[in-house]
Amino acid sequence: MEDNCLLGYTPDKLQQLVCELGQKPFRAKQLQEWIWKHRATDFEQMTNLPPALREQLVAHYTLRPLQVVEVSASSTGGTRKFLSRMRDGHLVESVIIPAAVGQGGAHSDRITLCVSSQVGCAFGCKFCASGLLGLTRNLTTAEIIGQILAAEEISGTRVDNLVFMGMGEPLANMDNLLPALTIIMDEHSLNIGARHITISTSGNVPGLKRLAAFGRPLRLAVSLHGACDEVRNQIMPVNKKWPLGELIPALQEWTRTSKHKITLEYILIQDVNAMLPEVDKLARIAHLLNAKVNLIPYNTVEGLPWVRPTEAACRFFCKTLIAKGVPVTMRYEKGHDINAACGQLRLRREEQNAQQKH
């Protein structure tokens, strides 16, 4: 898909653009200031650019790649999920997560944005709503970044932290992800530091190696969800392509150059991976990678057969893992009442659209 939205242009690409349009290189800096410092939504706002250049930009380029069509607010915790329509009509989801209450009960204005990287997902994890409709296409660089600006407009505050844990497999869209990260981290663009960015993968080994070669101190989260091939094969088809025997060495290589601990994401599913024998296997992998574990009780998705374990079972699993010397957090999904699990809001809207057509 052609990306003519300037949100997807790195500083170098903006400079190339203005030169191709017959302008002096310094115009790129002015254009960049309008896009990022002033958050311009209209080229006519860019009053220090020559009229001829503005006319060219109006004729061939855009400043916003998506339109927010629905916002759902959780009744608890302040989480907000929004659905965006791309210019071709496809829908993606993003989730605004407020910071936790600080010491002394003080509230922080800092927010985290859960970003999508694809329309749908081809990896087909059996517990995830994103993959139910399959993969439609990759998001462009501008569409990835457009979610951040939309979140700031909805929340009225700056996005400080990004987690690429929304719809899609980020490492399957590297051609658009890497330029997006360049713009996000650029001090004259979004200026979000690498340590405030977490990239999640379900186990895409080639993408992981390419991300490592990018050479920035990003944080890495791995959607493990099973500590042996038997379990992962049952719920994560990606494991048949890149089994643990390939994934773990790639993660060990990552740890040799990264200063951040890998986070192993582990959704607890009753009678699948939440039994005590799985604790030993998970602990072995965590120690091997010097990783921390984030336990997430399963967030029920309508139409899927998986069951959320009881709270007591989840806490026992957590305590047993801690007793084995593994750093563990347990995260109950925020926004459970707004279909905040990845892909649920889009799935509901697509079903409504299909019913209307019939």
Side-chain angles (χ1 to χ4, degrees):
M1 181 179 177
E2 184 180 359
D3 191 357
N4 66 345
C5 178
L6 295 190
L7 292 189
Y9 279 52
T10 62
D12 288 346
K13 194 173 178 182
L14 279 178
Q15 186 153 337
Q16 179 184 345
L17 171 65
V18 298
C19 290
E20 288 174 352
L21 295 176
Q23 301 292 324
K24 299 291 185 181
F26 77 90
R27 295 296 184 191
K29 185 68 174 178
Q30 292 178 319
L31 189 53
Q32 187 178 21
E33 287 182 352
W34 280 110
I35 295 170
W36 299 114
K37 182 178 179 180
H38 302 295
R39 296 290 203 266
T41 57
D42 191 316
F43 291 114
E44 294 304 322
Q45 296 173 275
M46 304 179 182
T47 52
N48 61 349
L49 297 184
L53 175 56
R54 277 182 276 157
E55 289 176 9
Q56 289 175 300
L57 293 173
V58 168
H60 300 290
Y61 299 92
T62 64
L63 289 168
R64 292 294 182 271
L66 52 81
Q67 177 186 11
V68 176
V69 295
E70 183 176 344
V71 180
S72 299
S74 172
S75 59
T76 59
T79 298
R80 280 172 287 184
K81 186 170 195 173
F82 63 94
L83 193 67
S84 301
R85 179 177 288 115
M86 308 298 107
R87 297 181 69 193
D88 61 3
H90 291 304
L91 300 170
V92 297
E93 301 172 8
S94 319
V95 184
I96 301 168
I97 307 166
V101 177
Q103 292 182 348
H107 288 266
S108 170
D109 291 332
R110 297 172 65 88
I111 61 170
T112 292
L113 180 67
C114 183
V115 186
S116 289
S117 56
Q118 296 178 308
V119 182
C121 185
F123 281 57
C125 295
K126 301 300 184 182
F127 49 82
C128 179
S130 285
L132 290 178
L133 298 177
L135 175 67
T136 301
R137 66 170 174 85
N138 288 329
L139 291 184
T140 66
T141 297
E143 289 167 342
I144 292 172
I145 292 175
Q147 296 169 71
I148 303 172
L149 296 191
E152 292 187 342
E153 291 170 3
I154 292 168
S155 65
T157 190
R158 171 180 162 83
V159 171
D160 303 285
N161 197 50
L162 298 175
V163 291
F164 282 82
M165 298 180 180
M167 291 169 51
E169 163 62 47
L171 301 191
N173 186 17
M174 294 295 283
D175 288 345
N176 292 309
L177 177 65
L178 293 183
L181 291 172
T182 298
I183 295 165
I184 289 166
M185 291 185 284
D186 179 70
E187 63 177 337
H188 299 297
S189 300
L190 278 172
N191 194 27
I192 300 175
R195 67 190 181 94
H196 295 293
I197 302 170
T198 300
I199 309 295
S200 177
T201 179
S202 59
N204 185 317
V205 172
L208 182 61
K209 293 178 179 178
R210 189 173 170 188
L211 186 66
F214 185 55
R216 303 299 291 270
L218 301 158
R219 296 183 184 273
L220 182 69
V222 180
S223 296
L224 192 66
H225 308 316
C228 63
D229 285 329
E230 181 181 1
V231 172
R232 283 195 105 228
N233 286 343
Q234 181 184 353
I235 59 176
M236 299 185 71
V238 65
N239 196 70
K240 296 176 182 177
K241 189 168 187 178
W242 297 297
L244 290 173
E246 293 184 37
L247 176 59
I248 290 176
L251 294 174
Q252 288 177 303
E253 186 61 33
W254 175 278
T255 61
R256 293 188 185 101
T257 58
S258 175
K259 58 184 179 181
H260 303 301
K261 281 181 180 287
I262 291 173
T263 298
L264 301 177
E265 303 281 346
Y266 196 93
I267 292 178
L268 291 165
I269 307 173
Q270 183 173 305
D271 298 328
V272 176
N273 66 355
M275 298 85 79
L276 283 185
E278 302 305 311
V279 176
D280 288 334
K281 302 170 190 175
L282 180 55
R284 281 197 293 270
I285 293 176
H287 287 308
L288 193 63
L289 298 173
N290 189 29
K292 54 187 178 182
V293 173
N294 187 21
L295 296 176
I296 310 164
Y298 176 62
N299 198 352
T300 304
V301 176
E302 186 177 350
L304 295 182
W306 315 110
V307 176
R308 183 187 185 107
T310 65
E311 183 173 344
C314 292
R315 294 196 181 281
F316 188 67
F317 191 99
C318 180
K319 288 178 181 178
T320 307
L321 196 56
I322 291 172
K324 294 181 180 296
V326 178
V328 182
T329 56
M330 178 120 79
R331 186 182 86 225
Y332 282 90
E333 292 279 9
K334 294 182 178 180
H336 196 69
D337 58 328
I338 56 167
N339 293 316
C342 182
Q344 284 184 280
L345 195 60
R346 170 180 174 250
L347 185 63
R348 192 197 72 200
R349 178 61 73 96
E350 296 285 7
E351 289 172 346
Q352 289 173 347
N353 290 343
Q355 289 172 358
Q356 290 173 359
K357 290 178 181 178
H358 292 290

